[in-house]
Amino acid sequence: MPTNGVRVLRALADDTRRAVFESLPQGPKSVGDLAAGLGVTSSAISQHLKILREARLVMVRPHGNRRLYSLDPRGLADARDYLEQFWPSALAAYSAALSTAREDPPPP
C-alpha cells in the first residue's frame, strides 16, 4: 500500500491535475472556474479533483450552491515528509561528487 506521499506524487504526475493544483494558490475556485481556466470539461475537472482530494492536495467547502476547492496543506506535508527521507543520501552523494571533482580537476 503506497504512503500518502507516494499518492501525492502520483496525483501530480498527470499534467491536467498538476495544472488544477497549480491554479489554486491564488484562492478557492469552483469546478466551472477551473474548467474555464484550463479549457477542460467540468466532468473531467471533477474526476481530477476527486484524485487530488484522495491525495489530500485539495479540499472542498460548500459556498451557496457551489463547491469551492482550495489547497489542502496536509498533502503538501505528506509529500515533504516523503521526500525528506531521501535528503541525507542526496547530500552525501553531492558531497562525494564535489570531493571527486576537487581530486580530479579537468585538463587545461
Side-chain angles (χ1 to χ4, degrees):
M1 178 106 146
T3 65
N4 204 53
V6 171
R7 277 195 240 29
V8 167
L9 295 177
R10 284 182 183 166
L12 294 175
D14 180 87
D15 291 340
T16 302
R17 279 194 293 276
R18 196 169 47 256
V20 169
F21 176 77
E22 290 172 353
S23 70
L24 291 173
Q26 295 81 21
K29 293 188 171 135
S30 69
V31 170
D33 294 337
L34 291 164
L38 297 173
V40 179
T41 66
S42 293
S43 176
I45 292 293
S46 292
Q47 291 174 4
H48 288 298
L49 285 167
K50 179 179 186 257
I51 293 167
L52 291 169
R53 276 194 330 269
E54 289 170 354
R56 300 191 323 174
L57 286 167
V58 300
M59 55 186 161
V60 61
R61 68 177 170 85
H63 187 273
N65 63 351
R66 297 178 352 155
R67 296 166 56 89
L68 296 180
Y69 293 84
S70 58
L71 293 181
D72 186 339
R74 297 176 303 166
L76 295 174
D78 291 340
R80 184 194 63 233
D81 293 345
Y82 174 76
L83 293 171
E84 279 183 352
Q85 70 181 316
F86 302 105
W87 192 241
S89 60
L91 286 176
Y94 179 70
S95 178
L98 284 176
S99 294
T100 301
R102 287 186 187 126
E103 292 170 6
D104 300 326

